[in-house]
Amino acid sequence: MFNIALFGAGRIGQVHAVNIAAHKESRIYSVIDPNQSAAAELAEKYQAKVQDVESAMNDPQVHAVLIASATDTHADLIELAAKHNKAIFCEKPVHLDIDRVRHCLKVVEQQKVPLFIGFNRRYDPQFRQVKTLAQAGNIGKAESLLIISRDPSPPPAEYVRVSGGMFRDMTIHDFDMARFIIGEEPESIFAQGSNLVDPAIGQAGDIDTAFIVIKFPSGAMATIVNSRRSGYGYDQRLELHGEKGVLTATNIKENSVEQWDQTGCTAAKPEHFFLQRYSAAYAAEWQHFIDVLAGRASPECSGIDGERALYLADKALESMKSGKCVAL
Amino acid sequence: MFNIALFGAGRIGQVHAVNIAAHKESRIYSVIDPNQSAAAELAEKYQAKVQDVESAMNDPQVHAVLIASATDTHADLIELAAKHNKAIFCEKPVHLDIDRVRHCLKVVEQQKVPLFIGFNRRYDPQFRQVKTLAQAGNIGKAESLLIISRDPSPPPAEYVRVSGGMFRDMTIHDFDMARFIIGEEPESIFAQGSNLVDPAIGQAGDIDTAFIVIKFPSGAMATIVNSRRSGYGYDQRLELHGEKGVLTATNIKENSVEQWDQTGCTAAKPEHFFLQRYSAAYAAEWQHFIDVLAGRASPECSGIDGERALYLADKALESMKSGKCVAL
Amino acid sequence: MFNIALFGAGRIGQVHAVNIAAHKESRIYSVIDPNQSAAAELAEKYQAKVQDVESAMNDPQVHAVLIASATDTHADLIELAAKHNKAIFCEKPVHLDIDRVRHCLKVVEQQKVPLFIGFNRRYDPQFRQVKTLAQAGNIGKAESLLIISRDPSPPPAEYVRVSGGMFRDMTIHDFDMARFIIGEEPESIFAQGSNLVDPAIGQAGDIDTAFIVIKFPSGAMATIVNSRRSGYGYDQRLELHGEKGVLTATNIKENSVEQWDQTGCTAAKPEHFFLQRYSAAYAAEWQHFIDVLAGRASPECSGIDGERALYLADKALESMKSGKCVAL
Amino acid sequence: MFNIALFGAGRIGQVHAVNIAAHKESRIYSVIDPNQSAAAELAEKYQAKVQDVESAMNDPQVHAVLIASATDTHADLIELAAKHNKAIFCEKPVHLDIDRVRHCLKVVEQQKVPLFIGFNRRYDPQFRQVKTLAQAGNIGKAESLLIISRDPSPPPAEYVRVSGGMFRDMTIHDFDMARFIIGEEPESIFAQGSNLVDPAIGQAGDIDTAFIVIKFPSGAMATIVNSRRSGYGYDQRLELHGEKGVLTATNIKENSVEQWDQTGCTAAKPEHFFLQRYSAAYAAEWQHFIDVLAGRASPECSGIDGERALYLADKALESMKSGKCVAL
């Protein structure tokens, strides 16, 4: 039974708490959050302790930390946990500044602790199945990848201002997905963007709609279609075209009911947002981390993946500003 | 926080255990099972007691019982729980003999305890949505209902022998669904069956494939299409045709991935069986029972529903044997 | 080049005219219709003659007749054409009275002319593909067949009065389909019906909604779900379940466009009615008849199929009236 | 009745011949083709004359010409027809050289004859429905457009050599579609391409796989996903995202049959290639041209559309070579 110290009692922390508690090999040992009452409430539900950062890090009972706290605390907590020899599960991103990320990863490397970065979409049953079938050779050599990724509705402009921009905040998932599915490091990137959804986002210096084209050394290409607002729920799809065919992963609808009448056919929307769509993915990534803790696996998705995705975000921004395809 | 005594530590008991523990208003107080080690293991996982029937029934801390034990113990446990004033959640069926069912329901009625019979499919998000949209008048007056219900593979003949026959064991869910969706008591029933799937089922005196036609007082009709084996997973669909259109509920696939190549399009099967397809339904029926316990609702699905479904099963058998449409 | 005498210049005659003229091995030689101006207009378009029945039958230039005239003229025209040694393509039905049908078929048999009865649905690419895949053994032995057949809207009561009743007028196609797909002669039939769509149909002594259960000697069963009104266009589907899986044929939508927005997904209705849905089937059945004329094939669907379908209609009526399953 | 002189008796000429002959307001008056026997065969089938270019152009009986001859003859024939005051239906493209196109269009303009360029996809019922619903305001302001356009298999390298390159030969349809759907003139274009499908195409100096990003003055963007080979038939889809939702147009399958078994669900491929997928479009564009001839409409798709699509192809090539987004 692995004892987990959970950093962050907010929305995403609670999602992880359910999976930690439900897994037969793990339990929530302690909750750490600057918001004391949130920490206390979550701890009580799972009969866990409330700790502060220092006591959790120094507690020999803690086998691993799950970092689901504010983004700007991730790198510090990772370094601290690494220095205390705790295995680490950290929500993406490591940090919004790539130099800070690189420094952090060096510390982890020196300490030789396992670090798993929670790119949840890699564990979505649809996308995972695409990867599995592609690796099995079902469609031959990969040639082009199409990633459609649209949020249900835009975040407030205040959030946008501290988010690092759409590429670092939202597209970063898609950059990781492109690398995950194609299995190569990109060699060039081009990005085009617009501010169409909310003028406040433009005023905050950001875009809300983007098309990105990535080329890989093998000649394979990927395009990412992004928007901060779909109008019909969370739109998360991909298509991988290969020499023998295509693998497509579509949205999951809220239910399978259709109504047919004089106006045609009406059906449900896609599941609303990431908590719904990726609920199975959160459970699956926890299973993987348990396998890491038990020595049955190494982290499939580690600090280097976080760094590479952030690097692509930085270069996409450079491309959009210059109107040029940027070599990587 | 409602304390639940869980009778039955087997497969379906474990499904309910997850939902009881996950709900913020309930917890597993005790587990009761003739298999002592199964009871102990389940109790330990949820930090609950192991009790025997008598102590659980007499324990004033127990607010409600969940009966997930062997079928032939249901009626006895219901009566016992009723006499001890425990609220009751019982897996279907109450009993395979309708006179025993009727006696049991009289006891419950005298004790005025709430009794919920777990016809899980009523809580499936697809079927529930059909009911909701139909009640909202979306397709006008209901006219014909088509229920397709096929298991992935047949049970062993030994099970068939003690099952009460396909109509009482399997079709009983569909009889309940027909009553639930149409919202009337049937006035006649016709059944036609065959033994096509496994000769051992025929030797056990049962059928494995059936078509049933039910007529309701309003003139609305329902047909049920049953098989003990689909060959492609659990097939659970329905169509409700009304004066203005149709509502259809289809299967949920294991994933949304499609592969398109020279041979056409290939996609995943429906979810395998009831534990997968109805996992959301089990959570939803538990939510309803919590609402009953908290006085926010009365059981939507009670003993009378169990009795009526069994009555239809008995009459379907009579129709199949006589080749006549049987008045109800 | 086969010269075709077309009897009937109405709606269905015009559909056949297009296919006759488009085929490189046939042409419209003459048009015969009591409505002289309709005959003249259709003849002019295709540079064909106008003839009367006698002259067409006696014209040695006529290789074959296509009978698309009023239902009550079919049997007489078939006999006349047979006696004049013309190959015959006749729209269903031969006649509404089974004794008249049997007499007519005897005449045809004596004259040894090819007779093709236009059960168009056998040539629908969807249903044909189901038959082809089933015969290829894809799903093993056939076990149950589900035919859903619903018209977009009910005919006027005046038509109903002379139609021979829903079973002879509409279900007859589904009886033929059941025989075609299963490939056996049924051994029993049960029918249940209601008058739900239009009271005038009930006053005309007919029903408008029906469920029919047919059993075959192998134990395979079929059910037919009928309504004179769908509310969402022409609903023409089937499912054939076998020991290894199921083959389904669904409707064809008017177009493939979907709109996703806050209210969910909206798509087009099925194609409106038989002229749209079965346009490919009409061309395919004409190709088959050309093969018959050219000696490359025998009629796949002949007088005996017309007679058997009518027999099932008669027996379905008997079952509905008696409430009993009728042996065949 | 409009008399049409058909230039080109090849595959696409034959497709148009069927529609010309089937339309009640038009007939094939003559066929012109350097291949005399092909011209004679087609003419005979439709009881038309065989003419040479000069006699057809000078024949006062000819109301309009349909140019379906070799690509390099289009511009000359258009000019000739314009000078003889014939209405013109010309298959795309006008010419592969944009200066030649511009000169040709000037001649047409001077003669004031109607010129329709056959961008068939604008008349596909799916894409037309997207345009119609978008214009009706169903999804609000257009924001991003995704065009997926993949041929079933690559052309031979000899064809590639004279094709003008993939952008002018194949993507030209997609450039027109982007302009048609968005309804604005693009302001910039970026293209990225690879030679992945057939090395012989690369040796011929061309690519076979491309991603293109187009930006419009409103900020709306389009991306085009192209490949010379899909491996699963003709892949022709689009998605138009707007402020309130998305409109999607998917492929049409060869049939609607699905097989469900142990391996999952199997269904048919998309229709094979343009002759199948766009058969309804060819009939619809002919209907439009008849409306033009009858004075009921002006050409919706004219020489300027041909020129603009070719201009985008030229600029896409420039972008791909320079690695820069090219202003238009």
Side-chain angles (χ1 to χ4, degrees):
Chain A
M1 184 70 69
F2 296 106
N3 292 328
I4 311 300
L6 173 61
F7 289 77
R11 190 174 54 168
I12 193 66
Q14 290 171 35
V15 167
H16 289 301
V18 168
N19 291 319
I20 294 169
H23 198 286
K24 64 176 189 257
E25 297 181 62
S26 62
R27 66 169 176 178
I28 301 174
Y29 176 82
S30 62
V31 180
I32 303 93
D33 197 300
N35 179 335
Q36 289 294 316
S37 73
E41 193 179 344
L42 195 59
E44 190 192 4
K45 188 176 159 74
Y46 293 100
Q47 299 173 285
K49 296 180 202 294
V50 172
Q51 290 188 306
D52 60 19
V53 173
E54 202 187 330
S55 58
M57 292 297 181
N58 285 300
D59 189 333
Q61 295 292 92
V62 170
H63 300 107
V65 300
L66 191 156
I67 303 173
S69 52
T71 292
D72 59 3
T73 67
H74 289 186
D76 292 347
L77 288 171
I78 288 173
E79 291 184 354
L80 212 49
K83 286 171 183 165
H84 288 84
N85 280 307
K86 309 297 189 198
I88 307 163
F89 179 122
C90 184
E91 269 299 305
K92 71 97 206 167
V94 176
H95 201 277
L96 293 174
D97 179 79
I98 199 157
D99 292 330
R100 183 71 189 85
V101 173
R102 285 168 178 162
H103 180 271
C104 176
L105 299 186
K106 249 179 228 153
V107 173
V108 172
E109 201 180 0
Q110 285 159 1
Q111 299 297 325
K112 299 189 194 310
V113 296
L115 168 62
F116 175 83
I117 300 296
F119 279 117
N120 53 355
R121 298 183 195 180
R122 291 190 179 207
Y123 295 88
D124 173 70
Q126 340 308 318
F127 301 148
R128 177 62 56 149
Q129 176 76 348
V130 167
K131 175 78 175 175
T132 301
L133 296 178
Q135 282 183 319
N138 284 29
I139 57 164
K141 194 162 53 71
E143 292 181 349
S144 48
L145 172 65
L146 177 52
I147 297 175
I148 296 167
S149 173
R150 307 171 73 94
D151 283 353
S153 50
E158 309 84 68
Y159 173 83
V160 167
R161 238 171 233 112
V162 300
S163 68
M166 189 170 79
F167 292 152
R168 289 192 193 94
D169 179 55
M170 177 181 166
T171 321
I172 194 165
H173 278 292
D174 307 305
F175 293 131
D176 182 63
M177 185 56 65
R179 289 180 64 250
F180 173 63
I181 294 287
I182 298 290
E184 297 178 52
E185 289 302 331
E187 69 171 30
S188 77
I189 190 165
F190 171 81
Q192 178 66 282
S194 280
N195 169 228
L196 295 167
V197 172
D198 182 356
I201 291 176
Q203 284 150 22
D206 203 0
I207 54 164
D208 46 37
T209 311
F211 282 173
I212 293 151
V213 177
I214 297 169
K215 193 165 182 179
F216 294 87
S218 66
M221 294 181 289
T223 193
I224 297 168
V225 179
N226 269 169
S227 172
R228 285 287 198 181
R229 181 215 48 213
S230 73
Y232 48 87
Y234 198 35
D235 191 358
Q236 297 280 296
R237 291 172 287 152
L238 66 78
E239 297 189 4
L240 177 63
H241 297 260
E243 54 184 336
K244 293 193 282 183
V246 63
L247 293 163
T248 68
T250 62
N251 291 314
I252 311 297
K253 290 182 186 174
E254 288 175 338
N255 61 65
S256 77
V257 175
E258 294 182 352
Q259 177 176 319
W260 295 83
D261 58 27
Q262 273 310 324
T263 66
C265 173
T266 317
K269 283 202 297 282
E271 290 180 318
H272 180 61
F273 207 4
F274 64 95
L275 295 180
Q276 292 81 36
R277 166 64 187 260
Y278 293 123
S279 66
Y282 287 117
E285 68 180 11
W286 187 251
Q287 175 60 54
H288 173 63
F289 189 66
I290 289 286
D291 290 342
V292 170
L293 290 180
R296 297 187 294 257
S298 298
E300 291 172 340
C301 183
S302 184
I304 187 68
D305 298 293
E307 187 212 318
R308 294 302 301 180
L310 182 60
Y311 174 68
L312 288 171
D314 287 354
K315 292 298 176 177
L317 201 58
E318 184 184 324
S319 169
M320 188 173 66
K321 286 182 176 160
S322 68
K324 291 180 189 164
C325 188
V326 175
L328 302 173
Chain B
M1 183 68 69
F2 297 106
N3 292 330
I4 311 299
L6 172 61
F7 289 76
R11 188 173 57 167
I12 193 66
Q14 290 172 35
V15 168
H16 289 301
V18 169
N19 291 319
I20 295 169
H23 198 287
K24 63 175 191 258
E25 296 180 63
S26 61
R27 66 169 175 177
I28 301 174
Y29 176 81
S30 62
V31 179
I32 303 93
D33 197 301
N35 179 337
Q36 289 294 317
S37 72
E41 192 179 344
L42 195 60
E44 190 192 6
K45 187 175 161 72
Y46 293 101
Q47 299 173 284
K49 298 180 201 298
V50 172
Q51 291 188 306
D52 60 18
V53 174
E54 202 188 330
S55 58
M57 291 297 180
N58 285 301
D59 190 334
Q61 295 292 93
V62 170
H63 299 106
V65 299
L66 192 156
I67 303 172
S69 51
T71 293
D72 58 4
T73 67
H74 289 187
D76 293 346
L77 287 171
I78 288 173
E79 291 184 356
L80 211 51
K83 286 171 184 166
H84 288 85
N85 279 305
K86 309 298 187 197
I88 306 163
F89 180 123
C90 184
E91 270 297 308
K92 71 97 204 166
V94 176
H95 201 276
L96 293 174
D97 179 79
I98 199 156
D99 291 330
R100 183 70 191 87
V101 172
R102 285 170 178 159
H103 181 270
C104 176
L105 298 186
K106 249 179 227 154
V107 173
V108 172
E109 200 178 1
Q110 284 159 3
Q111 298 296 325
K112 299 189 195 308
V113 296
L115 168 63
F116 175 84
I117 300 297
F119 279 117
N120 53 354
R121 299 184 194 178
R122 290 191 180 206
Y123 294 87
D124 174 71
Q126 338 310 318
F127 301 147
R128 178 60 59 148
Q129 177 76 347
V130 167
K131 175 80 174 175
T132 301
L133 296 178
Q135 281 184 320
N138 284 30
I139 56 163
K141 193 162 56 69
E143 291 181 350
S144 47
L145 171 65
L146 178 51
I147 298 174
I148 296 167
S149 174
R150 305 170 74 94
D151 283 354
S153 49
E158 308 83 71
Y159 173 82
V160 167
R161 239 171 231 112
V162 298
S163 69
M166 189 169 79
F167 293 152
R168 289 194 194 93
D169 179 55
M170 176 180 167
T171 321
I172 195 164
H173 278 293
D174 306 305
F175 292 131
D176 183 63
M177 185 55 66
R179 290 180 63 247
F180 173 63
I181 294 288
I182 297 290
E184 297 178 53
E185 289 303 330
E187 68 171 30
S188 76
I189 190 164
F190 171 81
Q192 178 66 282
S194 281
N195 168 227
L196 295 166
V197 172
D198 182 354
I201 291 175
Q203 284 150 20
D206 203 1
I207 54 164
D208 46 36
T209 311
F211 282 174
I212 293 152
V213 177
I214 297 169
K215 191 164 183 180
F216 295 87
S218 66
M221 294 179 289
T223 193
I224 297 168
V225 179
N226 270 170
S227 172
R228 285 287 198 181
R229 182 215 48 214
S230 74
Y232 47 86
Y234 198 34
D235 191 356
Q236 297 281 295
R237 293 174 284 152
L238 65 77
E239 298 191 2
L240 177 63
H241 297 259
E243 53 184 336
K244 293 191 283 183
V246 63
L247 294 162
T248 67
T250 61
N251 291 314
I252 311 299
K253 289 182 187 175
E254 288 176 337
N255 60 66
S256 78
V257 175
E258 292 182 352
Q259 178 176 318
W260 294 83
D261 57 28
Q262 274 308 325
T263 65
C265 172
T266 316
K269 283 201 296 284
E271 291 179 318
H272 180 60
F273 206 4
F274 64 96
L275 294 180
Q276 291 83 36
R277 165 62 187 261
Y278 293 124
S279 67
Y282 287 116
E285 68 180 10
W286 186 250
Q287 176 59 55
H288 173 61
F289 189 66
I290 289 287
D291 289 342
V292 170
L293 289 180
R296 298 187 294 257
S298 298
E300 292 172 339
C301 183
S302 185
I304 187 68
D305 299 293
E307 187 212 318
R308 294 302 300 180
L310 182 60
Y311 173 68
L312 288 171
D314 287 353
K315 291 298 176 179
L317 201 58
E318 183 183 326
S319 168
M320 188 174 65
K321 286 181 176 162
S322 68
K324 291 181 190 161
C325 188
V326 175
L328 302 172
Chain C
M1 184 69 69
F2 296 107
N3 292 329
I4 311 299
L6 172 61
F7 290 77
R11 189 173 57 167
I12 193 67
Q14 291 172 35
V15 167
H16 290 300
V18 169
N19 291 318
I20 295 169
H23 198 286
K24 63 174 190 260
E25 297 180 62
S26 61
R27 66 170 174 178
I28 301 176
Y29 175 81
S30 62
V31 180
I32 302 93
D33 198 301
N35 179 335
Q36 288 293 317
S37 71
E41 193 178 344
L42 194 60
E44 189 191 6
K45 188 174 160 71
Y46 293 102
Q47 299 174 282
K49 298 180 201 297
V50 173
Q51 291 187 307
D52 60 17
V53 173
E54 202 188 330
S55 57
M57 292 297 180
N58 285 300
D59 190 333
Q61 294 292 93
V62 170
H63 299 106
V65 299
L66 193 157
I67 302 173
S69 51
T71 292
D72 58 4
T73 66
H74 288 187
D76 292 346
L77 288 171
I78 288 173
E79 290 184 356
L80 211 50
K83 286 171 183 164
H84 288 84
N85 279 305
K86 310 297 189 197
I88 307 163
F89 180 123
C90 184
E91 269 298 307
K92 70 96 206 166
V94 175
H95 200 278
L96 293 174
D97 179 79
I98 199 157
D99 292 330
R100 182 71 190 86
V101 173
R102 285 169 178 160
H103 180 271
C104 177
L105 298 187
K106 250 179 227 153
V107 173
V108 172
E109 200 180 0
Q110 284 160 1
Q111 299 296 325
K112 298 187 195 310
V113 296
L115 168 63
F116 176 82
I117 299 297
F119 278 117
N120 53 355
R121 298 184 195 178
R122 290 190 179 206
Y123 294 88
D124 174 71
Q126 338 310 318
F127 300 147
R128 177 62 58 149
Q129 177 75 347
V130 167
K131 174 79 174 175
T132 300
L133 296 178
Q135 282 184 318
N138 284 29
I139 56 163
K141 194 161 54 69
E143 293 180 351
S144 48
L145 172 65
L146 178 52
I147 297 175
I148 296 167
S149 174
R150 306 170 74 93
D151 284 353
S153 50
E158 309 84 68
Y159 173 82
V160 167
R161 240 172 230 112
V162 299
S163 69
M166 189 168 80
F167 293 152
R168 289 193 194 93
D169 179 56
M170 175 180 168
T171 322
I172 195 165
H173 278 293
D174 306 305
F175 292 131
D176 183 62
M177 185 56 65
R179 290 180 63 248
F180 174 63
I181 295 288
I182 298 291
E184 297 177 52
E185 289 302 331
E187 69 171 30
S188 76
I189 191 165
F190 171 81
Q192 179 64 282
S194 280
N195 169 227
L196 294 167
V197 172
D198 183 355
I201 290 175
Q203 285 152 20
D206 203 0
I207 54 164
D208 46 37
T209 311
F211 283 173
I212 293 152
V213 177
I214 297 169
K215 192 166 183 178
F216 294 86
S218 66
M221 293 180 289
T223 193
I224 297 169
V225 179
N226 271 170
S227 173
R228 285 288 198 180
R229 182 216 48 216
S230 75
Y232 47 86
Y234 198 35
D235 191 357
Q236 297 280 295
R237 292 173 285 153
L238 65 78
E239 298 191 1
L240 176 63
H241 297 259
E243 53 184 337
K244 294 192 281 182
V246 63
L247 293 163
T248 68
T250 61
N251 291 314
I252 310 298
K253 289 181 187 176
E254 288 176 337
N255 60 66
S256 77
V257 175
E258 292 183 354
Q259 177 175 318
W260 294 82
D261 57 27
Q262 274 308 325
T263 65
C265 172
T266 317
K269 283 200 297 284
E271 292 180 314
H272 179 61
F273 206 4
F274 64 97
L275 295 180
Q276 292 81 37
R277 167 63 188 263
Y278 293 123
S279 67
Y282 287 117
E285 66 180 11
W286 186 251
Q287 175 60 55
H288 173 61
F289 189 66
I290 289 287
D291 289 343
V292 170
L293 289 181
R296 299 187 294 257
S298 298
E300 292 172 340
C301 184
S302 185
I304 187 67
D305 299 293
E307 186 213 317
R308 293 303 299 180
L310 182 60
Y311 174 67
L312 288 172
D314 287 354
K315 292 299 176 178
L317 201 58
E318 183 185 323
S319 169
M320 189 173 66
K321 286 182 176 162
S322 68
K324 291 181 190 163
C325 188
V326 175
L328 302 172
Chain D
M1 183 69 69
F2 297 107
N3 292 329
I4 311 300
L6 172 61
F7 289 76
R11 189 173 56 167
I12 193 67
Q14 290 171 35
V15 168
H16 289 301
V18 168
N19 291 319
I20 294 169
H23 198 287
K24 64 174 190 259
E25 297 180 62
S26 61
R27 65 170 177 179
I28 302 174
Y29 175 82
S30 61
V31 180
I32 302 93
D33 198 299
N35 179 336
Q36 289 295 316
S37 72
E41 192 179 345
L42 195 60
E44 190 192 5
K45 188 175 159 73
Y46 293 101
Q47 299 173 284
K49 298 179 200 298
V50 172
Q51 292 189 305
D52 59 19
V53 173
E54 202 188 332
S55 58
M57 292 296 181
N58 284 300
D59 189 334
Q61 295 293 92
V62 170
H63 300 107
V65 299
L66 192 156
I67 303 172
S69 51
T71 292
D72 59 4
T73 67
H74 289 187
D76 293 347
L77 288 172
I78 288 173
E79 291 183 355
L80 210 52
K83 286 170 183 164
H84 287 84
N85 279 305
K86 309 297 188 198
I88 306 163
F89 179 122
C90 185
E91 269 298 306
K92 72 96 207 166
V94 175
H95 201 275
L96 292 175
D97 179 78
I98 199 157
D99 292 331
R100 182 70 190 87
V101 173
R102 284 168 180 161
H103 180 272
C104 177
L105 298 187
K106 250 179 226 152
V107 173
V108 172
E109 200 179 2
Q110 285 159 1
Q111 299 296 327
K112 299 190 196 307
V113 296
L115 169 62
F116 175 83
I117 300 297
F119 279 117
N120 53 354
R121 299 184 194 178
R122 290 190 180 207
Y123 294 88
D124 174 70
Q126 340 308 319
F127 301 148
R128 177 62 56 148
Q129 177 75 347
V130 168
K131 175 79 175 175
T132 301
L133 295 178
Q135 281 183 319
N138 284 30
I139 56 163
K141 195 161 53 69
E143 291 181 350
S144 47
L145 172 66
L146 178 51
I147 297 175
I148 296 167
S149 175
R150 307 171 74 93
D151 284 352
S153 50
E158 309 84 68
Y159 173 83
V160 167
R161 241 172 229 110
V162 299
S163 69
M166 189 168 78
F167 293 152
R168 290 193 194 94
D169 179 57
M170 176 180 166
T171 321
I172 195 165
H173 278 292
D174 306 305
F175 292 131
D176 182 63
M177 185 57 64
R179 290 179 63 249
F180 173 64
I181 294 288
I182 297 291
E184 297 178 52
E185 290 301 332
E187 69 172 29
S188 76
I189 191 165
F190 171 81
Q192 179 64 282
S194 280
N195 169 228
L196 294 167
V197 172
D198 181 357
I201 291 176
Q203 285 150 21
D206 203 1
I207 55 163
D208 47 36
T209 312
F211 283 173
I212 293 152
V213 177
I214 297 169
K215 192 166 183 178
F216 295 87
S218 65
M221 294 181 289
T223 193
I224 296 168
V225 179
N226 270 169
S227 173
R228 286 287 198 179
R229 181 215 48 215
S230 73
Y232 48 86
Y234 198 34
D235 191 357
Q236 297 281 296
R237 292 173 286 151
L238 65 77
E239 297 189 4
L240 177 63
H241 296 260
E243 55 184 334
K244 294 192 282 184
V246 63
L247 293 163
T248 67
T250 62
N251 292 313
I252 311 297
K253 290 181 187 173
E254 289 176 336
N255 61 66
S256 76
V257 175
E258 293 182 353
Q259 177 175 320
W260 294 82
D261 57 28
Q262 274 309 324
T263 65
C265 173
T266 317
K269 284 200 296 281
E271 291 180 316
H272 179 60
F273 206 5
F274 64 96
L275 294 181
Q276 292 80 38
R277 166 61 188 262
Y278 293 125
S279 66
Y282 288 115
E285 68 180 11
W286 186 251
Q287 175 60 54
H288 173 62
F289 189 66
I290 288 287
D291 290 342
V292 170
L293 289 181
R296 298 186 295 256
S298 298
E300 292 172 340
C301 184
S302 185
I304 186 68
D305 298 294
E307 186 212 318
R308 294 302 299 179
L310 182 61
Y311 174 68
L312 289 171
D314 287 354
K315 292 298 176 179
L317 201 59
E318 183 183 325
S319 169
M320 188 173 67
K321 286 180 175 163
S322 69
K324 290 180 190 163
C325 188
V326 175
L328 302 172

